[in-house]
Amino acid sequence: MQVPFWGHIDSNMDWCEPNYVVSSYFAEFWNTISSLPISFWGLFGLICARRHALNETKFMVMFIFTIIVGLGSAAFHISLRRYMQALDELPMAWGTAVLVYILLDNKWTFLFYRDLDNKNNNNNNTTSTTPITSNVDETPLQNSRRNLALVCTGYGIFETFVYYVGPDLFFIYILFYAVSVLSVLLLFWSQFTPIRHKVGLLRLYSLFSSSATDDDDYHNNHITWSEHGCVTMLPAKLYHWAVVNYGFGFTIWLSEIFLCPHFIPHWFYLHSFWHLFAGFGTYLSIEAALAWRAEISLYKTRLALSCCVFPYVAVKISSD
């Protein structure tokens, strides 16, 4: 038997797509190609965040991990080797840990400044009208961030250790990764559910109900800051669309696992669709977190389009 270009297959997973059929250099051609849009969304988000939104380190790190996940996924599917599989799955665990950090930091920052604002105004019903400034002593908040960073880093180290200890503990890696993904969903859900109850589900799925073509279209109304940590519905809208995309992709992922190879034709590459929907859903979740962080600072946000196709969050930093 001829040895494949990348060597004998030794990964934990071998998907429905027949191996080395399209090309002798690609174990799974379509699964490899469909991984690249994940990196595209990471790179696109990184560039847009630096040019049009918040150039904060944590968001840059999250987008970089998204790029690595896409490239790692392509490396895994092109070879179906265990060491390449690690380039796909470990960055996913670390990236999810970073997203958990971002969401908790957003929530704690909002609570910190809300309580401070309430104390300054001596009125719980008063909302801020100016962005957060650097004149506030953030020592308690900084301590919380440092402790949270240590916990998330410890989680990543633990996941990496479990991953390499042996295949027998692989289910523990999957379990902890599933818990981290669930944490992301719950953090978003707990924050944005009140908005859904107030405005209705239909309005949350109308992403482009408002124009986003000029400076006057930066949103700064609809939802008060003191209620939900958001000035607009934009973060909640992006989150709900992220859930739709990632959830649909996850359904496809499960369908292939349980139905392949008996009920799915070999030419129907379900795993490729998982890459497309999960990649876009992940990008939207990062954009939702970015929009939420901007609105916590009471910066004006809007949803813009690049090349009339690719959505991104634009932030107006100036308060005028």
Side-chain angles (χ1 to χ4, degrees), residues 186-199:
L186 290 177
L187 283 168
F188 270 126
W189 179 82
S190 64
Q191 194 66 26
F192 297 142
T193 293
I195 298 179
R196 186 178 73 240
H197 290 163
K198 182 171 183 175
V199 305

Side-chain angles (χ1 to χ4, degrees), residues 47-297:
I47 294 173
C48 289
R50 290 180 62 88
R51 291 181 177 178
H52 308 291
L54 301 177
N55 190 18
E56 294 187 1
T57 302
K58 55 181 176 285
F59 290 107
M60 301 303 105
V61 171
M62 187 65 231
F63 283 125
I64 289 172
F65 268 116
T66 305
I67 296 172
I68 296 174
V69 167
L71 296 177
S73 176
F76 166 43
H77 290 289
I78 201 174
S79 65
L80 291 181
R81 297 301 306 272
R82 171 67 175 171
Y83 67 91
M84 292 289 201
Q85 185 178 0
L87 297 177
D88 174 21
E89 294 172 339
L90 286 179
M92 289 171 58
W94 280 92
T96 306
V98 173
L99 188 54
V100 169
Y101 171 86
I102 290 173
L103 295 178
L104 283 174
D105 180 43
N106 280 358
K107 193 174 186 68
W108 292 349
T109 301
F110 160 63
L111 294 175
F112 176 81
Y113 278 97
R114 185 194 62 181
D115 294 343
L116 183 65
D117 189 61
N118 288 339
K119 290 179 182 178
N120 292 338
N121 290 284
N122 294 318
N123 186 348
N124 290 336
N125 294 321
T126 303
T127 61
S128 292
T129 57
T130 58
I132 294 171
T133 67
S134 58
N135 299 326
V136 177
D137 180 15
E138 288 190 340
T139 301
L141 187 59
Q142 294 292 352
N143 291 336
S144 298
R145 287 170 175 165
R146 181 170 57 252
N147 294 333
L148 177 60
L150 290 174
V151 171
C152 291
T153 302
Y155 162 83
I157 294 174
F158 173 77
E159 280 280 74
T160 303
F161 172 78
V162 169
Y163 191 90
Y164 280 112
V165 162
D168 294 338
L169 296 179
F170 186 69
F171 76 96
I172 298 180
Y173 162 84
I174 296 295
L175 176 63
F176 275 84
Y177 176 71
V179 169
S180 64
V181 172
L182 184 61
S183 299
V184 169
L185 293 174
L186 290 177
L187 283 168
F188 270 126
W189 179 82
S190 64
Q191 194 66 26
F192 297 142
T193 293
I195 298 179
R196 186 178 73 240
H197 290 163
K198 182 171 183 175
V199 305
L201 192 61
L202 184 61
R203 287 187 64 189
L204 285 177
Y205 286 110
S206 56
L207 265 180
F208 296 97
S209 56
S210 298
S211 174
T213 56
D214 53 51
D215 186 68
D216 292 336
D217 292 321
Y218 281 90
H219 309 311
N220 59 359
N221 47 25
H222 301 309
I223 302 295
T224 60
W225 181 82
S226 61
E227 288 181 275
H228 313 297
C230 301
V231 179
T232 77
M233 292 183 292
L234 181 57
K237 286 184 175 185
L238 291 169
Y239 157 68
H240 280 77
W241 274 105
V243 170
V244 168
N245 279 271
Y246 200 92
F248 185 67
F250 183 68
T251 302
I252 293 174
W253 184 81
L254 284 179
S255 299
E256 179 169 12
I257 288 179
F258 289 109
L259 299 180
C260 178
H262 305 292
F263 300 101
I264 300 177
H266 286 304
W267 49 265
F268 194 54
Y269 309 122
L270 284 181
H271 197 72
S272 298
F273 291 97
W274 148 254
H275 289 158
L276 298 177
F277 284 101
F280 186 51
T282 299
Y283 167 75
L284 290 179
S285 67
I286 303 171
E287 291 291 285
L290 190 152
W292 181 20
R293 176 65 183 90
E295 295 192 2
I296 289 172
S297 298

